[in-house]
Amino acid sequence: MKVLVLGSGGREHALSWRLARDPGVTQVFVMPGNPGMLSETAGTGAAVEPLLENLSLVQTIEFCAKNKIDFVMVGPEKFLFEGWVDELTRSGIPTVGPTRAAARLEESKSFSKQFMTENKIPTARFYNVSTEAEALRAVDQTQSWAGVAVKLSGPALGKGVIVCDSTVEARDIVKKFYADKTLGIEDGMVIEEKLSGREVSLFYACLDDEFKFLASACDHKRLLDHNQGPNTGGMGAICPSPWVDFAFLKRIEESVVRPTLDGMKKAGSPYRGILFVGLMGELLLEYNVRFGDPETQAIMPLLQGNFAEFLLAIGKGDITAFRTSKISTEGVSIHVVKAAKGYPGLFGEKIESGIEISSSPSVSAPNQQWFFAGVKDMGGRLVSGGGRVLGLTAWGRDSSEVRARAYGAISQVKFSGEQYRKDIGASAGGAS
């Protein structure tokens, strides 16, 4: 089996690394991938090959035909929002991911909040707004709330949510977003009630009416220790979430997952692919229509079963193979991210790149793996490419031992200006 993974970051490195370990997989291409993946070879002998160039949709279809690709796995949301799944599928290439219409669950927060309301899915109080004036008026209506989450409705590359403790702060953030013309504001804003409690990410594989639970994880979104600083795309993750049990999962499947699939089918956009529900307690914060980053880097080393055959069943719409696939996670893991100076680059702050990484990460230690994201090749040396640069995942049976190994390894690879949290997984209830 030959597989093509779309994307370039740590999530795509983790997906390709895991797929290469499945029996029957002979080649995993990554488009465009990154140079940190170049030395990746699985124990099975399957190779991970980053193309290191961006192909157009037409070129990708031609590449799949020429290389006899069995299925395409979509990593980042960009390809989903642009309708690549629709076109690849029309070309006869099994592809894992929702259609462009179904991807609106993530592409537009305004759409998703309205969808939650219409389908009676529990979520925080909110206002959908289209202009700065509407946003400021909405903020003024939130005096009785404990705080305000100001969310850009459109795709914002992980930079579109700022949680405010007061209406004064929220008004200031609204004005800054509009003054900066921040990416994602073209679709308006969601002014949402600030929630408190335990946050968790749940991942499901979906095929029209049916779904399978894959894993729970806990992302650490804030830049700094103790959940301080701005929101980011994620500074680390643990898997599984310590406070998720069978009863909790059943309640969420009845209150969120089932009504979501039913609602999408009713709207004429049956859902196929990975569904990621982000929760605060039992209230739905948001949908993502693909695997999360950095949760994927924590999940993949724990995933048991033939992942490639399972994804192929989704891509082909083979409900029998989907039902009979045995996919589960075993053990515990932690993933710690190192980001460049200036990340997340809010309101014009410059993110450093081109900084040499001090030493070559070693993969010789058992049950740990480096996953690369924002890296570039400079004369045969890896340098930072901006944003989240790399991360280390450790896994095993004992969470304390796993955490100690992860931090022992991550501290050995350095670059100037690096930012990373020292408290990933330190508290069962503290991730945010």
Side-chain angles (χ1 to χ4, degrees), residues 30 37 39 47 109 164 178 229 314 337 353 367 377 421 423:
V30 193
M37 303 176 187
S39 61
K109 287 186 173 62
C164 306
Y178 274 97
I314 297 172
V337 171
S353 65
N367 289 5
D377 180 88
R421 284 180 61 160
D423 65 342

Side-chain angles (χ1 to χ4, degrees), residues 86-337:
D86 308 60
E87 295 304 319
L88 287 163
T89 303
R90 285 192 194 103
S91 300
I93 303 163
T95 305
V96 183
T99 62
R100 185 174 189 177
R104 288 196 70 199
L105 282 176
E106 179 177 356
E107 185 179 17
S108 171
K109 287 186 173 62
S110 297
F111 172 84
S112 69
K113 293 295 285 190
Q114 190 60 37
F115 177 88
M116 293 174 207
T117 300
E118 292 172 356
N119 290 280
K120 298 180 173 56
I121 295 169
T123 190
R125 291 179 286 182
F126 70 96
Y127 296 96
N128 279 341
V129 299
S130 301
T131 66
E132 181 177 0
E134 286 180 5
L136 292 173
R137 284 197 296 271
V139 169
D140 290 340
Q141 301 300 310
T142 68
Q143 299 286 347
S144 64
W145 295 1
V148 181
V150 178
K151 297 184 174 184
L152 301 179
S153 179
L157 304 178
K159 305 174 187 176
V161 179
I162 294 186
V163 180
C164 306
D165 293 321
S166 68
T167 56
V168 173
E169 184 185 358
R171 285 179 64 88
D172 182 53
I173 292 300
V174 167
K175 291 176 182 178
K176 283 184 177 179
F177 271 139
Y178 274 97
D180 196 54
K181 296 182 174 61
T182 308
L183 182 69
I185 207 168
E186 62 279 354
D187 192 42
M189 277 186 173
V190 175
I191 305 299
E192 186 176 275
E193 180 182 13
K194 175 188 174 183
L195 300 176
S196 59
R198 290 173 166 176
E199 191 170 348
V200 64
S201 305
L202 302 181
F203 293 87
Y204 292 87
C206 305
L207 184 50
D208 300 339
D209 291 328
E210 300 197 20
F211 61 86
K212 282 180 180 282
F213 173 69
L214 296 178
S216 69
C218 187
D219 183 11
H220 294 59
K221 292 186 175 68
R222 297 293 188 101
L223 179 68
L224 306 174
D225 289 358
H226 312 301
N227 301 324
Q228 301 299 305
N231 266 20
T232 70
M235 295 300 292
I238 58 173
C239 178
S241 173
W243 53 87
V244 170
D245 59 20
F246 180 79
F248 176 85
L249 286 176
K250 287 303 169 188
R251 291 196 300 273
I252 297 305
E253 288 168 5
E254 291 173 6
S255 66
V256 176
V257 183
R258 172 50 57 202
T260 297
L261 297 190
D262 290 346
M264 293 307 294
K265 184 177 181 181
K266 183 179 178 182
S269 303
Y271 196 93
R272 291 187 179 185
I274 305 302
L275 181 67
F276 161 178
V277 294
L279 303 158
M280 182 71 79
E282 298 192 21
L283 297 181
L284 180 61
L285 290 174
E286 64 178 359
Y287 294 106
N288 286 335
V289 294
R290 35 68 189 187
F291 276 114
D293 186 341
E295 294 98 330
T296 304
Q297 293 92 303
I299 293 169
M300 287 299 116
L302 305 184
L303 201 63
Q304 307 297 307
N306 195 315
F307 188 42
E309 291 287 355
F310 181 61
L311 293 179
L312 180 61
I314 297 172
K316 285 185 170 181
D318 185 341
I319 193 64
T320 300
F322 180 80
R323 286 171 179 161
T324 56
S325 294
K326 298 186 185 304
I327 295 289
S328 63
T329 56
E330 292 183 11
V332 296
S333 67
I334 179 174
H335 180 74
V336 182
V337 171

